[in-house]
């Protein structure tokens, strides 16, 4: 089954000083027996410098790649915080842009197959993009998508913050960028507008997905899998849930739930897994 584990699922374990990026790789490979990782830069950035979070130097990134190669693991998604596109302050935008370029270089070193760089805005509220913001965002995503195509990966935001919390804004953005290497990491069901239809609106551009504990328990989980597959989705179903405690067990439970959802979806459509 195409299931991955989002690195953010172990954020609290990291904060307790019990896991680093190499421990995460070991955990995914040997505890959960997976050959892919859903990498998150939160394991190797300086979180004290928000909103721009400095990336570890290139030599450290190459050590991560060496560890991936040793374990014969692939990076199916690289989720990047602290390098989003839009900020109202022009100087801050420029600093974010420079940080995004460093992370794009790291994406190539890591061999990432898909890369999440967010739009910018509030994590709590939907904010419709004004003309200046929209034009800037489209320009940067086109630029980054050209880079992604050159290096063989897909790129785009998650429904994570600001305008990306509205599926209609995501659709408008995708149609404006209009690039084969541009798409979305769809965190299923996480919308501030058009909650019921959100996943289906953006499904044609989905390159990766995340389940959390709420969406995995939702009544629409199986029908969401059907909808995504009908839209042509062939990517991974990531689990991402930063549980308050017992994170190894909670992650294992969520994986089991998503496995069952995928089996139920396949059986109800007459497909085999």
């Amino acid at each position: 089954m195409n299931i991955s584990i989002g690195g953010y699922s172990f954020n609290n374990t990291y904060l307790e000083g019990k896991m680093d990026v190499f421990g995460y790789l070991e955990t995914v490979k040997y505890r959960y027996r997976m050959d892919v990782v859903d990498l998150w830069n939160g394991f190797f950035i300086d979180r004290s410098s928000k909103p721009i979070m400095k990336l570890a130097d290139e030599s450290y990134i190459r050590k991560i790649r060496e560890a991936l190669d040793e374990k014969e693991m692939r990076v199916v998604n690289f989720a990047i915080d602290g390098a989003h596109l839009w900020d109202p302050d022009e100087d801050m935008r420029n600093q974010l842009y420079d940080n995004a370029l460093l992370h794009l270089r790291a994406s190539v070193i890591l061999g990432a197959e898909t890369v999440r760089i967010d739009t910018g805005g509030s994590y709590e509220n939907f904010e419709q993009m004004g003309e200046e913001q929209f034009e800037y965002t489209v320009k940067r995503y086109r630029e980054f998508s050209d880079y992604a195509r050159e290096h063989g990966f897909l790129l785009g935001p998650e429904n994570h913050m600001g305008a990306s919390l509205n599926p209609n804004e995501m659709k408008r953005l995708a149609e404006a960028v209009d690039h084969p290497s541009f798409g979305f990491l769809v965190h299923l069901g996480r919308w501030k507008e058009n909650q019921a239809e959100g996943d289906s609106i953006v499904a044609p551009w989905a390159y990766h997905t995340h389940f959390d504990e709420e969406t995995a328990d939702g009544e629409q989980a199986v029908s969401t899998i059907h909808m995504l597959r009908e839209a042509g989705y062939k990517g991974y179903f990531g689990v991402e849930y930063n549980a308050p405690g017992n994170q190894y067990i909670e992650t294992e439970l969520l994986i089991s739930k998503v496995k069952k959802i995928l089996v139920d979806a396949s059986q109800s459509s007459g497909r085999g897994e």
Side-chain angles (χ1 to χ4, degrees):
M1 292 182 180
N2 285 2
I3 296 177
S4 59
I5 304 172
Y8 184 67
S9 299
F10 299 104
N11 182 46
N12 284 335
T13 305
Y14 166 86
L15 292 176
E16 292 171 357
K18 297 178 180 178
M19 181 181 283
D20 62 8
V21 65
F22 301 104
Y24 163 71
L25 299 183
E26 294 274 336
T27 295
V28 172
K29 178 72 175 184
Y30 301 113
R31 186 181 185 107
Y32 301 106
R33 301 186 183 281
M34 295 182 181
D35 293 326
V36 300
V37 288
D38 199 336
L39 201 58
W40 173 53
N41 74 334
F43 282 118
F44 44 94
I45 53 175
D46 178 2
R47 301 199 199 183
S48 67
S49 56
K50 292 183 179 180
I52 298 170
M53 290 177 274
K54 183 179 178 182
L55 182 66
D57 62 46
E58 188 170 304
S59 64
Y60 192 82
I61 304 300
R62 292 192 179 279
K63 289 177 183 178
I64 299 172
R65 178 56 190 266
E66 289 173 5
L68 288 163
D69 290 344
E70 287 169 359
K71 296 172 181 59
E72 298 182 329
M73 302 182 82
R74 296 161 35 228
V75 179
V76 292
N77 182 252
F78 180 31
I80 297 169
D81 285 346
H84 50 272
L85 300 192
W86 178 254
D87 190 277
D89 181 82
E90 184 177 4
D91 180 63
M92 182 61 69
R93 283 201 303 275
N94 290 334
Q95 293 182 58
L96 288 164
Y97 171 70
D98 290 342
N99 201 33
L101 294 180
L102 291 174
H103 277 84
L104 288 175
R105 170 63 180 161
S107 301
V108 175
I109 295 170
L110 293 167
E113 297 173 14
T114 65
V115 175
R116 184 263 279 170
I117 294 182
D118 283 320
T119 57
S122 168
Y123 283 99
E124 301 298 329
N125 300 307
F126 155 63
E127 303 160 357
Q128 189 166 7
M129 287 184 279
E131 182 178 352
E132 179 188 9
Q133 180 180 353
F134 186 73
E135 290 179 356
Y136 178 86
T137 301
V138 169
K139 178 181 73 172
R140 288 299 184 217
Y141 277 133
R142 282 178 179 165
E143 175 189 347
F144 293 169
S145 296
D146 282 341
Y147 185 90
R149 178 168 56 184
E150 181 181 350
H151 292 91
F153 61 88
L154 302 177
L155 173 143
E158 184 178 1
N159 47 330
H160 198 210
M161 59 195 305
S164 67
L165 293 169
N166 184 329
N168 293 311
E169 280 290 273
M170 294 274 269
K171 181 176 185 289
R172 182 167 79 106
L173 179 61
E175 291 173 342
V177 175
D178 190 23
H179 196 290
S181 295
F182 180 80
F184 301 129
L185 192 172
V186 182
H187 191 113
L188 298 169
R190 186 170 65 188
W191 304 102
K192 296 294 184 182
E193 300 282 338
N194 296 94
Q195 176 73 26
E197 300 86 14
D199 294 340
S200 62
I201 289 171
V202 302
W205 296 279
Y207 62 67
H208 191 61
T209 57
H210 277 163
F211 272 96
D212 58 26
E213 81 291 359
E214 183 175 347
T215 51
D217 288 334
E219 296 180 358
Q220 303 302 315
V222 171
S223 61
T224 295
I225 299 300
H226 286 313
M227 177 275 296
L228 286 166
R229 286 174 169 167
E230 288 169 4
Y233 183 72
K234 295 181 174 62
Y236 275 72
F237 296 95
V239 300
E240 186 187 63
Y241 172 41
N242 183 37
N246 301 313
Q247 292 200 306
Y248 294 106
I249 295 171
E250 293 287 354
T251 297
E252 186 172 359
L253 176 60
L254 186 53
I255 291 168
S256 297
K257 289 180 179 180
V258 174
K259 283 182 177 179
K260 185 177 188 305
I261 291 165
L262 293 175
V263 169
D264 289 348
S266 295
Q267 291 178 343
S268 61
S269 66
R271 294 174 48 169
E273 277 291 333

